[in-house]
Structures are given as C-alpha cells and as structure tokens.
C-alpha cells in the first residue's frame, strides 16, 4: 500500500505547475482565478525565442548559390508550409504561410521538451538549493491545458480578424443570417458562436490530451526503474527507448495537426455561407 501511495504522490507531484502561490491549485475556482503557471510561461517563451533565432539564423545564412545542409533543411520547411497554405487557403496568402510555419516549429520545439528526463527539473533545483522556494516545476508546456487553450484562442482571434478583413460587414451578416436566414437571426448567431468556440476548444484539447498522455506514460515508465530490480530496470530501459522513438512521431504529428487545422480555419474565413 505504501508503494502505491509513493507512486501516486510521485506522479501527482510531476503533474503540478508552479504558480504565484507555489502550491498546488485548489479545487475552488475563485481561489485559482488569476493564477499563472509560471513554468509554462517560461518554457513557452523560451521555445518561441529558440524558433525566432532559428529562423533568423536561416535568413542570415541564406545564399543564392548552392545551399548548404542547414539552408536546404530550412527551404524544405518553408516549401512545406507554403504548399500547405496554398492547398488549404484559397484567398490571399499574405502572412498565412509564415504563420503556419511558425506555429509548426513552435509546437515541435515545445513538444520536444517531453524527451527531457522527468526528474531533470527537480535535480537541477536541488543542486542550486532552490527546491524549497520552487517546490514544483513542470517542463512540458503543451501538457498544460491553459497553454494549449491559450494558443487555440489566439488562433480563433486570428481567424475572426481574417474573416473581418476578407469579408468586411459580410462577416457580421453571416453571423446572423447563416444558415437559416435573417428571420432566425438569434438562432444563427448562437449556432455560429458555438461553432467558433468548439473549434478553439477542440484544437487546444487535442494537443493537450495527446501530450499529457505521453508525459504520463513517461512517468509510469520512470516508476519501473524505481523498483530497483533487474527485471524492472531492463523493462524501464526497453519501454523508455521504445516509447521515446514512437513519441517522436507524436511530437511532429501533433504540431502538424495543429498547423493544418489553423490553416483550415483560416481558409474557411474566405468561404461564404
């Protein structure tokens, strides 16, 4: 029974984000209101900076001659984003392809943090004597629902902006007239509002659910190595390596799905009902 409690507390500890209080979030929504997951913000911003520096370095090293390996790799990514943008967005492209590429790379980098050892943050904080002041630290930002829903809400804001830019007052007309006509304007508005909210919700929850499940599996595999038995250590190494290899596909696939759905929603902004 004690080992079960220890395993449960181990997993529970690694699922808690660091906030201003430095304590786990309470069940009362009024107590949680206004709390910011500081570790999620830190790692999200850091990954964004890494992507910006990566793209900046690519632009600085770009040449008109025979490209090197780095430039060829970046050109493949750019062509990939442009092809997806032209396929899914029928209207003016503008910033659509760069937005898709940035979203894809940002999520790939954030998802890749899941390959870091589960106990790495605790070990580093303990070495520098910060364990007491920073009792919790969760590295993977996409396993935090507030981060993924925040990203999906940002996509929703861009979609609405792009819809207004493409259709002008026609967008407002569609909100109240589609799909049942002007005589059912309240029902039309409610249905369109639900559609927009469901798109944002499903977009964020899909990324969160897959990355949260992947992180949880890594924790369960880590517990195998904590048994101290030869069988447990062998299974820990084999299962960890196998899941890490498979997880590479999940990391890239989830970023691709998020980028693709973002472009799909932007493409729908041009379509008239």
């Amino acid at each position: 029974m004690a080992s079960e409690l220890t395993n449960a507390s181990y997993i529970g500890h690694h699922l808690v984000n660091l906030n201003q209080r430095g304590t786990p979030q309470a069940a009362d929504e009024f107590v949680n209101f206004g709390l910011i997951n500081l570790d999620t913000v830190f790692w999200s911003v850091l990954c964004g900076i890494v992507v910006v520096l990566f793209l900046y370095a690519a632009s600085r090293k770009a040449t008109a001659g025979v490209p090197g390996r780095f430039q060829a790799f970046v050109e493949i990514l750019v062509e990939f984003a442009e092809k997806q943008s032209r396929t899914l967005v029928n209207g003016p492209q503008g910033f659509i392809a760069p937005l898709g590429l940035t979203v894809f790379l940002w999520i790939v980098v954030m998802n890749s943090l899941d390959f870091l050892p589960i106990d790495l943050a605790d070990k580093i904080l303990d070495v520098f004597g910060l364990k007491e002041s920073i009792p919790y630290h969760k590295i993977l930002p996409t396993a935090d629902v507030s981060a993924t829903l925040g990203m999906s809400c940002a996509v929703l804001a861009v979609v609405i902006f792009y819809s207004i830019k493409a259709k002008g007052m026609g967008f407002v007309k569609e909100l109240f007239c589609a799909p049942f006509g002007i005589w059912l304007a309240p029902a039309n508005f409610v249905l369109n509002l639900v559609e927009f909210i469901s798109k944002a919700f499903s977009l964020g929850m899909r990324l969160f659910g897959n990355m949260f499940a992947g992180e949880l599996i890594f924790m369960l595999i880590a517990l195998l190595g904590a048994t101290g038995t030869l069988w447990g250590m062998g299974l820990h190494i084999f299962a960890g390596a196998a899941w890490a290899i498979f997880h590479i596909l999940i990391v890239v696939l989830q970023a691709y799905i998020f980028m693709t759905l973002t472009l799909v929603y932007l493409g729908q902004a041009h379509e008239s009902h």
Side-chain angles (χ1 to χ4, degrees), residues 49-68:
I49 293 174
V50 169
V51 171
V52 170
L53 293 178
F54 171 80
L55 295 176
Y56 176 76
S59 65
R60 295 285 293 178
K61 294 183 179 180
T63 60
V66 178

Side-chain angles (χ1 to χ4, degrees), residues 164-179:
I164 296 175
K165 181 180 179 182
K167 303 175 183 177
M169 291 302 297
F171 172 67
V172 178
K173 181 181 178 181
E174 284 186 356
L175 286 178
F176 291 95
C177 296

Side-chain angles (χ1 to χ4, degrees), residues 218 221-222 224 234-247:
F218 273 124
I221 293 174
L224 293 174
L235 187 58
H236 165 71
I237 295 174
F238 174 77
W243 179 246
I245 294 173
F246 177 71
H247 204 59

